[in-house]
Amino acid sequence: MSDITIYSAKRILTMNRSNPLATHVAVRDGMILGAGALEDLTGWEPYTVDDRFAGKVLMPGMIEGHAHAMEGAVWQDEYVGYYDRVSPDGDSKPGLKSIDEVIDYLSKVDAAMDEPEEALIAWGFDPIYFGGRRMVAADLDRISSTRPILVVHASFHIVNVNTAVLTRANVTAETNVMGIMKDADGKVTGELQGMPARFIVTSAIGREHFVEMGQEGSLWRFARSAQLAGVTTSTDLANDFAEATLANMKKLTSRADYPLRIVPAFLSNTRPPEEGVEMVRRILPESSDKLRFGLVKMVSDGSIQGFTARLMEPGYYNGAPNGLWYIEPDEIPRILNAYHGAGLQVHVHTNGDQATDVVLDAMEDALREFPNPDARFTIQHCQMAHESHYRKMARLGVCANLFANHLFYWGDEHYEQTMGPERACRMNATGTAKRLGVPFTIHSDAPITPLAPLFTAWCAVNRTTVSGRVLGEEERISVEDALEAVTLGAAYTLKLDGEIGSIEAGKRADFAVLEDDPLEAGADGLKDVRVWGTVVGGEIFDNAAITGS
Amino acid sequence: MTQGDDRIPLTVIGGFLGAGKTTLLNRVLSDNHGIRFAVLVNDFGDLPVDTSLVTDHDGETLTFANGCLCCTMGDNLMKTLSDLAMRTEPPEHILIEASGVADPRPILDLGTLHPRLRRDLSLVLVDAETIHDRAEDVRLKETVDRQIAAADVILINKCDVVDEATVAAVRAWLRKRVPDAHIVETMQAAIPLDLVFAGDGSPEPMSRPVAANDHDHVDHGTQFRSVTVVPENPMTRLAIEQWMSVLPPSVLRVKGYIAAENDPGSVFLVQRVGNRLDLSVCPAQGKTPGVVFIGSADLPDADWIGRRCVA
Ligand SMILES: [Zn+2]
């Protein structure tokens, strides 16, 4: 007979509607035997009571329904974003408030590097906060004229480089290529976009930087980043199923000391669907309790702040031309059907309302052709969906994973430039989803924004922008609903709600261990609730082991 | 066989699903045109290739009896392209099938950036039967605009399934949107591959002997013609640029050598596709001056073109 441990806690928020609050939880072999008062659990014998969490608050381990394993890869580089951000080592990296601050910081990093030719790579840079001033090669040349320097923007679609990079890639004023920005005098500014950016960077540093996300070190950082935020399960949305990545994921998730369950979604966009179906089917039997295959992701359009999302009338508020499809709209039904018809669950990225509209129609048709009342199609981001879309989603059983963090980080831009007041106020309409019974969760899209579901919950509860504006009071949800969204809500979209997402008998012993009570912290304090660590399948992970404090 | 420029020309073929990209590529892979093309596609599954023509199948690459290769792009077009260009026996021309919603230009730009490649042509197929509906479709209209704007040459395909008035209307509609567009009408994407894709830097269209000055070569069954003009005198860069700038949109491609004024040892290598002119100087030795003009049925005759050359 295996050991039974009964943990006592200050309070346990179970997310189990029939037993919402408890003080004790009994665990055996990584599984929950029950939650309640001590006397509700002592029938499980023989047990030992463990009081290490007696002063803490437990809730189900949080579940991030839309993040990327790249969250681990980016931290091998230097963070130069505008906001403070916690690294997977627990360091709080201060936000850099001007281009000069970025240059000063990178100069210090440069000085500490031994190899003069080794590339210096930074990420998270966002010039929208710098009043129109863009970074140019000359800024970065102040740091070094020999070392290749790359500053990747927060969107991950733009990169600034120094002259050393341009020289290595033979880029001159005569190079006329879309995506290589030039100033009014025809001089290359050092700001690069798209495929040319990727090509130039690769030729300058001699390797493809961003395919390194599946390395072991990156996967460890991904898991630590999750642990620090109280996350015990995260999607990797999406994954191209490179062999090395899969091998590393299998190896690490089989270790008891790896603190994260990963749900990789197969990225369908780069493969013919028939081939994709085969790839997912082949790997399905290799799923384990901490690594779940079977999910498929499609990407239909671009982003709103990049003006590449596909919008219905009246289009972009500032008059920008309509965005880009990443799949031919007439192809979406065929691809969706191929995966859905093979019995695989499909999540589709849409940002603009036109993309949501087209994708929802395709989902409706797919459900007619291959009826499956529990398909749980999920629309990822789904930022601009109308109330009519939510009504349709409710009828079809389609879930939404809403990008609540956007409200804070880009809400002011949406209000002023992309969507205008009315539509900005109904973006990421968690209130509507709740009211109409659409199963929903909320996400960070880490590393685009920080992996921290309590902050994401705060965004959905308050809908406050950087400037303090409230975007759509009507769409706010309660603290309880937001906490459910980042636990059971996310589990539902992954078809894992029978296993994780609440603290109740028969589920995996995955807990977020908190210093403060989120219900007491309330709407204002939710984002400041301190995370002590996590429990994953009964294994205890103390954040102090990472932060060293 | 290549002279003056040994980079591999890169061509992107765009157009919506059903416009005829697959038909065109299938011909590239099965016809005996004498050019070793490498064709990059998203999906083998879409190509109804005659398997008896496949001589080798190695994972991501099919080799065909006519020497052409067909590879899937996989998830890293850049790497696939680089690997092809760096082969010990590289292809003579690379064609990339772009998806209906992809902008061909950034893909072509890899031909500008990669030292072993040369940006050649963006060819966009439009379906005479459906293009009008697509241009009116709120989901697709900007994509149609982008595609057309990105084309060096637009092929109005499926001209056999609609009446003449429809073709004329499509042509007029395209002309209105892109006044200097190079437009060609075809059926079953039947274009002479050696004419349209012969952008390998050699002055003559491959495998098609070009006869003396003023010979007017008509490709029967299609709407393509080529003429050759030999400028009487050496020319300056500026004069060549001026000459090229007065050519009508029916001229799809220009290639050849022109003796350089004030520099008897050199010739200009002239390569123009769509409206993009590429002029470089190379040693005159072994190069016969003469310029080939390839175009659609309404291409002017050699005399007309020659008269506009004011050296
Ligand atoms: Zn994402």
Side-chain angles (χ1 to χ4, degrees), chain B residues 110-166:
Chain B
L110 293 176
T112 304
L113 293 169
H114 197 290
R116 292 284 303 119
L117 300 175
R118 186 168 66 73
R119 179 209 193 280
D120 193 50
L121 170 71
S122 70
L123 181 73
V124 170
L125 286 85
V126 304
D127 180 338
E129 202 177 19
T130 61
I131 187 66
H132 192 70
D133 290 345
R134 288 203 151 115
E136 301 270 289
D137 185 335
V138 290
R139 304 169 309 150
L140 299 175
K141 57 184 185 186
E142 297 87 4
T143 311
V144 171
D145 287 343
R146 277 191 202 103
Q147 272 184 3
I148 291 172
D152 293 314
V153 174
I154 303 171
L155 285 191
I156 307 177
N157 193 29
K158 302 199 174 172
C159 290
D160 48 340
V161 299
V162 294
D163 57 24
E164 266 176 48
T166 307

Side-chain angles (χ1 to χ4, degrees), chain A residues 61 146 149 205 212 221 263 271 290 304 395 440 491 500:
Chain A
T146 51
I149 302 174
I205 67 173
E212 293 164 7
R221 282 190 294 270
V263 183
R271 301 264 173 192
K290 273 161 78 180
I304 302 170
R395 280 198 307 277
F440 72 97
I500 54 176

Side-chain angles (χ1 to χ4, degrees), chain B residues 1 65 72 78 85 92 107 152 162 170 176 211 245 254 281 303 310:
Chain B
M1 74 163 234
T72 50
M78 212 171 75
E92 290 172 290
I107 306 176
D152 293 314
V162 294
V170 171
K176 210 167 92 194
S245 72
V254 179
V281 180
D303 190 45
V310 269

Side-chain angles (χ1 to χ4, degrees), chain B residues 187-207:
Chain B
M187 303 168 209
Q188 279 137 30
I191 53 167
L193 302 167
D194 49 352
L195 287 184
V196 175
F197 296 128
D200 70 332
S202 77
E204 287 144 1
M206 281 170 290
S207 79

Side-chain angles (χ1 to χ4, degrees), chain A residues 169-171 175-180 195-200 202 208 211 240 269-275 310-311 313 321-331 334 354 358, chain B residues 15-17 21 42-46 60 72-79 82 99-103 105-107 109-110 112-115 134 137-143 146 276:
Chain A
N170 301 313
V171 174
T175 314
N176 286 316
V177 158
M178 271 171 88
I180 298 184
M195 197 127 56
R198 198 167 151 195
F199 181 84
I200 290 164
T202 306
E208 275 231 63
V211 284
D240 59 5
N269 284 53
T270 59
R271 301 264 173 192
E274 296 70 25
E275 202 179 304
R310 286 293 313 184
L311 297 184
E313 293 291 338
N322 208 342
L324 303 175
W325 290 107
Y326 291 165
I327 310 175
E328 259 183 74
D330 293 333
E331 276 274 78
R334 181 179 76 89
Q354 191 182 58
V358 165
Chain B
F16 282 106
L17 202 71
K21 289 180 289 185
N42 267 313
D43 190 349
F44 285 147
D46 288 344
E60 318 239 291
T72 50
M73 272 173 238
D75 51 14
N76 193 342
L77 169 63
M78 212 171 75
K79 185 170 183 305
S82 247
S99 86
V101 290
D103 187 337
R105 286 169 292 190
I107 306 176
D109 282 338
L110 293 176
T112 304
L113 293 169
H114 197 290
R134 288 203 151 115
D137 185 335
V138 290
R139 304 169 309 150
L140 299 175
K141 57 184 185 186
E142 297 87 4
T143 311
R146 277 191 202 103
R276 291 174 71 100

